[in-house]
Amino acid sequence: MIFDKTRQALFALFPAQDLDKPVVEEPSSDETEDAKTKKTAEPRKDGLLECDYSVHGYHLDAQVAPEQLLDAVTIVDNLEYFIESITGVDWIKEDQLEVVYDFSRYDFDVCRVVIRTRLDRNNPIVPTITGIYAGANWHERETHDFFGIKFDGHPHLIPLLLPEDADFHPLLKDFKA
Amino acid sequence: MSLTLLNVIVAVVIAIAFAALNAAYLVWAERRGAARIQRRPGPNINGPFGLLQPPLDGIKLMAKQLTIPGGADKVLFIAAPVLAMFPAIMSFVTIPFSESIVAKNMNVGVLMIFAFASMGGMSLLFAGWSSRNKYAMMSSVRAVSQAVAYEIPMLITTITVVMIAGSMDLMEIVRQQGGSFLHWNIFPLLGRSHNILMPMSFLIFFICTLAETNRAPFDLGEAESELVAGFHTEYGSMGFGLFFMGEYANIVIGSCLTTILFLGGWNAPLPFLSFIPGVFWFLLKLYILIATFIWIRWTFPRTTIYGLLNLSWKILIPLSLFNLLLTAGLIKVF
Amino acid sequence: MSSPIQLQPDETFILNVGPQHPATHGVLRVKMEMNGEYIVDAETVIGYIHRMHEKMGESKTYPQYLMNLSRMDYLGAVGYSHGHVLVVEKAAGIEVPERAEYIRVLMVELNRVASHLFWFGAFVMDLGGFSPLMYALQDREHILDMMEAVTGSRLTYCYFRYGGLYNDIDDDFIRAARAFLPRMTKSMKKYHKLVTGNVIFQKRLEGIAPLTPEMCRKYGASSAVARGSGINFDVRRNEPYSVYPEFDFDIPVYHECDSLARYNVRMDEIEQSLRIIEQALDKLPDGPIMPKKKPKIIKPPAGDYYQAVETARGSFGVRLVSDGGKTPYRLKLRSPTYSNMHLFDEACRGMLITDALAFMGSLDLVIPEIDR
């Protein structure tokens, strides 16, 4: 099953994580408002999560350091995933920007993989994956447009959806029109 | 002497009026025909059945501002539409509508019509080049290569008919197709050619007429969905009007020529029907062909430029040459 | 079919297939570097109709956002609402009654047929055949009339609600839908005879723009772009959602990889959608269309959620990042045409401009969906 193969391959990136006891995310139950806000104030650590597909819609969730990103994406490319989308999330309370990569499969061996990296909000630089997936070109340009994340090595990082002379990044939480 | 001159002038004026009226009302016929094929009414507001639409369109076009793009070659820009319209109208002078109705018959009628048709090709070049517009230039390049490629099979099939008739005089060609429809050049049984492949010649000539007049499926010159409007992109008002009318006048000329060369001109299909004047038969055949033109345009998509040129150079020219040789041989033998 | 000529780099000129052009379906600009009639390089410039739906997602509450989804791809609007509604229901744990699920599928498939009909008319018009557009639009009118009676809109539907629908279908609709099916089947035969069987049309599309499966994978192509290249991928089969497992339908896959294959895939898809509609009408259960217990304010628990649906244009995905509040923290809309269009720049090198425009037509582009 491709799920196991991918999981094994991605585990290799996290030597610190316990191989025998993989982290399975508990479905979030009713919590009070305070508990929730306190929880999201702590940034998530690097590691591999197995998620419940019927709740979350994807199977594997790997958070990697920016340096490991190309390795993770190469693993996924070798296992014949296609790139679904790349996007960003602004965690302003944690002072971090997150880049989320979605991968999925064409065959009936369903397995969705999400790869994330967390970046410093004041200096967000992450290597580009256009060398591995040519389709990442537009996705990365769009993420740069919306969040200001710099993709190191991108061939043509100019605004895609915003006007050519735009110097603002609309999806940042502190963006005032 | 002056009476003959007056006759000639009146005849020429009438021919030109016929051509212009035809060109204008062909637009109406095309729009109604297209609408019928596409399941919608077409122009039906101005006048009964929309018959006042062409003159009103003409008034509208004349009232618009004639703009010349800055940097365009003024002389060529203005010469192009005139050159598109002029030869087509002048060719009408020599077309015989019946035994007695012809503006000025010449004994080299075929040659004259083709000479004028070649002049029309120049207007494509002038329009595209002088517009200083990349789309126009690209489209005129396509249109010229298409015009050149399709003139050749057209001429070869015409030569075949001229060989059968032994003369380039249009009236003579038609007279020799008298009798019944089996004498027409398209049907070889009683015709003078004894050539069973004559319908193929007719078909080749018809296709070449479609291509020479830039009609779909060969309308790459004005491929609306790709090159906006092709070589006449930059023309507004009367410039566009003249191109438009020139195209329809060319269609009428092409159909007239097809009728004369292959379908017997003004001859009735059956001998006992010849009490109906020849003009009627000529116009009937002419308008059936034009209706086919309109029908074809709204049915087929466009070919590619390579398909188009391949069709001409690799298929039509060899076939027409073969037919020419076959006809020549058969004439010699029989 | 046509081999590229020797390209001399110093003889190129830039042709702007600009935002205003009869062939680009929406405001799209393609800067083409041309050598004569051949394209040396192309750069697609998008963003002319960018309305920042994702920012709106962060400031609007969940019910307020429902109408945004149909403005993205207006031709296949219902599918997009479906995707969004499914992800929020998944996150918040809202149950959908069975009748509502069946009606949703019925509407989605009707909308898919309408979208494909419009694509068909516009595509053949791009190639120069002006008449099929009128016939296709007339067939589409039947669908739009049917759906207007139930949903109130002809194009930008806002019919789905979290948990079900807002209006039930009535007998008139079922009668009209049943009458529509044989009429549409007859029309499809007509289209196949007049258009698919036409030699000029086939020569125009055969061998144009071959897209290898590897290229599709690198760009994340879906729908007819992938299925025309032999990739058997349809979200309704690969990752079933809603009540699609109950239906019996085929996924058309062609292996020639050219524009004709993509055309054939979509034409077959229309016929398969008609099958699903018929089965949905037969199997339609009685019952409520909204759940009994529904939270007054939708507040999905904190976390990441993703849902992919198969719309007329491909695999549409919604990624919802929720922090437990009334508005999403981040709402990402993954539009299929975005990934499909991206192929164009690389694939059209060395093509004739006419072939490139035929290729663009076969990709089935709706620009507001690319730009969101």
Side-chain angles (χ1 to χ4, degrees):
Chain A
M1 280 273 288
I2 205 77
F3 173 70
D4 295 314
K5 263 201 265 181
T6 323
R7 201 185 55 161
Q8 286 295 95
L10 285 173
F11 255 135
L13 293 171
F14 307 112
Q17 195 165 342
D18 195 341
L19 275 152
D20 287 326
K21 289 206 287 267
V23 179
V24 177
E25 190 180 4
E26 294 119 48
S28 42
S29 45
D30 322 60
E31 288 163 1
T32 61
E33 193 76 30
D34 300 314
K36 257 190 279 196
T37 41
K38 238 178 70 157
K39 222 176 157 89
T40 50
E42 281 170 23
R44 199 184 120 171
K45 303 265 186 319
D46 288 354
L48 182 66
L49 274 177
E50 279 178 38
C51 303
D52 186 3
Y53 176 70
S54 60
V55 174
H56 288 275
Y58 50 88
H59 297 90
L60 287 168
D61 184 344
Q63 178 161 321
V64 297
E67 300 81 37
Q68 294 177 303
L69 177 68
L70 286 173
D71 296 329
V73 175
T74 319
I75 291 174
V76 160
D77 182 33
N78 290 336
L79 291 167
E80 311 257 313
Y81 283 77
F82 74 85
I83 180 141
E84 184 114 28
S85 82
I86 304 178
T87 187
V89 187
D90 183 13
W91 296 108
I92 190 166
K93 290 208 186 92
E94 302 157 24
D95 206 23
Q96 282 187 326
L97 279 170
E98 187 179 16
V99 187
V100 182
Y101 297 78
D102 278 298
F103 295 93
S104 178
R105 301 191 59 79
Y106 277 140
D107 52 26
F108 286 89
D109 216 350
V110 178
C111 182
R112 278 193 184 267
V113 176
V114 176
I115 297 183
R116 314 161 184 271
T117 53
R118 293 252 176 170
L119 311 167
D120 181 19
R121 202 165 182 275
N122 305 312
N123 188 21
I125 304 184
V126 77
T128 182
I129 65 167
T130 45
I132 310 171
Y133 281 101
N137 195 318
W138 275 17
H139 292 287
E140 288 180 352
R141 273 172 77 181
E142 179 191 331
T143 317
H144 169 77
D145 269 353
F146 290 165
F147 293 97
I149 299 176
K150 291 192 195 34
F151 289 88
D152 199 14
H154 193 282
H156 197 51
L157 199 66
I158 60 171
L160 180 71
L161 293 173
L162 298 177
E164 289 91 26
D165 51 357
D167 55 358
F168 48 90
H169 301 288
L171 275 182
L172 293 174
K173 291 287 177 184
D174 54 357
F175 171 74
K176 292 278 177 284
Chain B
M1 180 62 185
S2 57
L3 201 62
T4 334
L5 183 64
L6 191 67
N7 272 347
V8 168
I9 291 177
V10 165
V12 167
V13 164
I14 290 178
I16 294 178
F18 178 76
L21 201 66
N22 249 327
Y25 273 90
L26 253 189
V27 179
W28 173 88
E30 166 119 52
R31 285 171 73 172
R32 295 285 300 200
R36 264 277 151 256
I37 294 177
Q38 293 176 354
R39 271 203 229 159
R40 54 184 178 86
N44 58 0
I45 296 183
N46 297 313
F49 297 107
L51 281 168
L52 281 181
Q53 187 77 33
L56 292 174
D57 275 340
I59 295 175
K60 173 197 81 168
L61 280 176
M62 280 194 272
K64 282 192 180 177
Q65 182 191 18
L66 186 67
T67 53
I68 302 183
D73 193 324
K74 286 199 178 50
V75 173
L76 292 179
F77 193 80
I78 299 180
V82 176
L83 213 55
M85 186 66 172
F86 177 72
I89 305 256
M90 288 316 289
S91 312
F92 265 100
V93 168
T94 172
I95 290 195
F97 291 91
S98 89
E99 269 289 347
S100 46
I101 305 178
V102 59
K104 179 83 183 97
N105 193 24
M106 299 190 193
N107 53 0
V108 285
V110 170
L111 187 63
M112 189 189 127
I113 292 185
F114 278 104
F116 274 126
S118 309
M119 265 175 72
M122 285 207 296
S123 79
L124 300 171
L125 262 176
F126 287 176
W129 172 254
S130 66
S131 296
R132 208 181 180 231
N133 176 343
K134 280 175 210 157
Y135 285 116
M137 182 191 84
M138 271 178 60
S139 115
S140 79
V141 162
R142 281 183 187 177
V144 167
S145 65
Q146 176 186 330
V148 164
Y150 279 89
E151 256 174 28
I152 301 179
M154 206 168 174
L155 285 169
I156 296 177
T157 38
T158 315
I159 293 174
T160 314
V161 174
V162 166
M163 261 184 5
I164 295 171
S167 138
M168 283 210 264
D169 186 352
L170 288 169
M171 293 193 76
E172 188 60 36
I173 293 177
V174 177
R175 272 192 217 111
Q176 289 178 0
Q177 295 176 60
S180 78
F181 68 93
L182 291 170
H183 282 105
W184 294 352
N185 277 339
I186 187 178
F187 299 118
L189 292 166
L190 294 173
R192 286 168 52 102
S193 64
H194 307 284
N195 180 0
I196 210 155
L197 289 175
M198 279 315 274
M200 188 181 73
S201 264
F202 167 70
L203 213 58
I204 294 177
F205 191 84
F206 188 72
I207 295 176
C208 292
T209 321
L210 269 178
E212 282 290 316
T213 51
N214 284 328
R215 292 284 290 182
F218 305 121
D219 64 347
L220 285 119
E222 4 163 312
E224 277 161 16
S225 26
E226 293 161 30
L227 301 174
V228 193
F231 55 85
H232 51 74
T233 311
E234 293 288 340
Y235 286 88
S237 162
M238 266 336 262
F240 171 71
L242 282 176
F243 267 121
F244 215 48
M245 281 178 63
E247 179 184 320
Y248 285 108
N250 273 325
I251 291 177
V252 180
I253 291 279
S255 305
C256 284
L257 212 53
T258 319
T259 319
I260 291 173
L261 292 176
F262 289 96
L263 292 178
W266 66 79
N267 290 310
L270 294 165
F272 67 86
L273 285 173
S274 48
F275 63 91
I276 302 175
V279 171
F280 169 75
W281 292 115
F282 185 84
L283 290 176
L284 179 70
K285 292 173 203 169
L286 175 69
Y287 288 119
I288 289 179
L289 276 176
I290 292 180
T292 317
F293 267 68
I294 295 177
W295 184 13
I296 291 180
R297 175 175 181 184
W298 296 103
T299 312
F300 290 113
R302 211 174 288 128
T303 56
T304 55
I305 183 81
Y306 279 105
L308 180 74
L309 295 175
N310 280 343
L311 179 68
S312 166
W313 294 101
K314 291 192 194 168
I315 299 178
L316 292 183
I317 293 184
L319 280 178
S320 51
L321 276 174
F322 170 70
N323 201 25
L324 179 70
L325 292 173
L326 188 63
T327 313
L330 287 170
I331 289 182
K332 203 68 178 149
V333 168
F334 291 104
Chain C
M1 195 192 100
S2 47
S3 55
I5 55 174
Q6 203 59 21
L7 304 174
Q8 280 120 4
D10 47 291
E11 284 184 16
T12 61
F13 64 95
I14 303 223
L15 185 71
N16 216 357
V17 180
Q20 292 150 323
H21 189 97
T24 62
H25 303 283
V27 274
L28 170 73
R29 178 177 166 215
V30 186
K31 266 201 302 207
M32 292 189 187
E33 202 177 326
M34 316 269 303
N35 181 345
E37 289 233 10
Y38 287 94
I39 301 176
V40 175
D41 203 4
E43 187 198 332
T44 316
V45 179
I46 59 175
Y48 289 92
I49 191 168
H50 177 62
R51 294 148 295 169
M52 204 83 212
H53 277 287
E54 299 180 4
K55 186 76 179 176
M56 282 194 255
E58 291 178 18
S59 53
K60 287 184 165 192
T61 64
Y62 289 93
Q64 283 174 336
Y65 195 68
L66 280 169
M67 51 133 275
N68 278 50
L69 269 306
S70 38
R71 269 73 178 166
M72 270 183 51
D73 170 17
Y74 42 79
L75 289 178
V78 183
Y80 288 73
S81 300
H82 200 197
H84 173 74
V85 152
L86 280 174
V87 78
V88 173
E89 286 165 0
K90 197 155 72 168
I94 304 174
E95 285 274 332
V96 184
E98 219 191 337
R99 183 177 170 86
E101 295 263 37
Y102 274 87
I103 297 178
R104 277 184 183 175
V105 167
L106 187 60
M107 290 298 184
V108 168
E109 294 302 321
L110 274 173
N111 204 216
R112 195 192 306 271
V113 174
S115 168
H116 281 328
L117 278 172
F118 194 92
W119 159 80
F120 166 72
F123 182 44
V124 185
M125 191 175 73
D126 274 352
L127 297 176
F130 304 98
S131 306
L133 176 69
M134 298 291 163
Y135 289 81
L137 288 183
Q138 185 158 27
D139 281 325
R140 187 170 164 260
E141 279 299 305
H142 295 305
I143 301 179
L144 294 183
D145 286 340
M146 261 194 278
M147 293 180 80
E148 186 186 8
V150 174
T151 68
S153 330
R154 275 167 59 91
L155 199 65
T156 51
Y157 306 96
C158 188
Y159 183 50
F160 295 169
R161 301 286 183 269
Y162 300 116
L165 317 162
Y166 93 95
N167 192 18
D168 202 350
I169 62 175
D170 52 2
D171 286 332
D172 282 337
F173 177 88
I174 297 180
R175 229 192 334 260
R178 284 209 193 274
F180 172 73
L181 289 170
R183 206 188 297 148
M184 190 65 214
T185 320
K186 224 168 68 157
S187 290
M188 286 307 291
K189 287 206 188 75
K190 195 165 41 178
Y191 298 142
H192 277 300
K193 217 163 66 154
L194 277 176
V195 179
T196 319
N198 188 318
V199 160
I200 298 180
F201 181 78
Q202 282 172 355
K203 280 241 162 350
R204 211 44 216 278
L205 294 183
E206 242 164 29
I208 300 301
L211 298 174
T212 58
E214 187 59 23
M215 196 170 166
C216 290
R217 185 177 76 81
K218 293 288 186 184
Y219 283 89
S222 48
S223 111
V225 180
R227 273 175 254 146
S229 299
I231 302 175
N232 187 353
F233 175 66
D234 186 322
V235 186
R236 296 175 289 178
R237 267 287 146 76
N238 289 47
E239 296 177 51
Y241 53 93
S242 184
V243 286
Y244 276 107
E246 309 281 325
F247 294 107
D248 174 32
F249 61 100
D250 301 318
I251 307 291
V253 177
Y254 284 77
H255 294 272
E256 293 93 12
C257 305
D258 58 9
S259 295
L260 192 59
R262 294 189 275 278
Y263 167 86
N264 281 328
V265 165
R266 287 202 187 92
M267 296 301 271
D268 289 349
E269 257 180 40
I270 298 181
E271 286 162 16
Q272 296 303 320
S273 286
L274 293 174
R275 273 176 76 181
I276 299 180
I277 294 171
E278 192 172 2
Q279 291 169 42
L281 285 169
D282 290 335
K283 291 187 184 166
L284 196 62
D286 292 321
I289 52 166
M290 281 298 262
K292 288 197 189 50
K293 274 183 6 165
K294 202 182 97 146
K296 269 226 150 32
I297 303 180
I298 313 265
K299 282 205 218 179
D304 266 31
Y305 306 91
Y306 192 91
Q307 172 71 43
V309 294
E310 180 80 14
T311 61
R313 273 164 197 86
S315 155
F316 170 65
V318 182
R319 159 168 284 280
L320 174 66
V321 178
S322 166
D323 61 350
K326 278 193 293 203
T327 68
Y329 191 79
R330 171 90 174 94
L331 186 68
K332 158 79 179 167
L333 307 162
R334 188 259 177 192
S335 88
T337 318
Y338 191 79
S339 309
N340 287 354
M341 180 78 213
H342 199 6
L343 282 170
F344 183 78
D345 287 355
E346 197 185 308
C348 75
R349 289 194 194 131
M351 264 198 243
L352 283 171
I353 185 170
T354 51
D355 294 341
L357 288 163
F359 174 39
M360 228 197 274
S362 76
L363 288 175
D364 196 0
L365 304 174
V366 170
I367 312 301
E369 186 202 330
I370 302 182
D371 288 355
R372 280 158 283 137

